[in-house]
Amino acid sequence: QKKEKQKMAIRGTENKITERDKLILKGLAEGKDDREIADDIGFSYQTVNAAFPKIMLKLGAVNRYNALYLEFKKKLIK
């Protein structure tokens, strides 16, 4: 089951973006770096930095800016 779930995430079909993910992507959209995002939302730098690969996996993105584009495209960030 775990392998199948990973395959689904890799294809971007498991799009369970959390509120934290949205806050992190919103900070990226505002041009903030990981440390600034962490300060703004009250998480550690390590948490924010580690979140990007997970967000990218959830969205099937190739990089963090592609994830941002896909997120905006879906209108999940307002």
Side-chain angles (χ1 to χ4, degrees):
Q1 277 185 345
K2 188 175 181 180
K3 276 191 173 186
E4 183 58 34
K5 200 168 193 170
Q6 287 173 337
K7 286 180 188 178
M8 287 172 56
I10 289 170
R11 286 179 266 157
T13 58
E14 192 172 289
N15 299 330
K16 295 179 182 177
I17 297 298
T18 66
E19 287 303 313
R20 182 181 76 174
D21 295 340
K22 290 179 188 180
L23 288 172
I24 290 170
L25 286 172
K26 186 173 185 217
L28 180 65
E30 293 170 350
K32 297 176 180 174
D33 65 22
D34 292 0
R35 290 193 191 281
E36 293 170 317
I37 295 168
D39 288 343
D40 284 353
I41 63 176
F43 288 105
S44 71
Y45 163 77
Q46 292 85 358
T47 298
V48 172
N49 189 266
F52 276 110
K54 294 172 188 172
I55 293 169
M56 291 167 26
L57 195 62
K58 290 177 185 180
L59 293 171
V62 294
N63 60 43
R64 56 176 61 191
Y65 297 102
N66 182 232
L68 182 61
Y69 168 78
L70 293 171
E71 186 72 357
F72 272 119
K73 187 175 174 183
K74 289 181 171 189
K75 298 180 181 181
L76 295 175
I77 297 177
K78 296 179 183 179

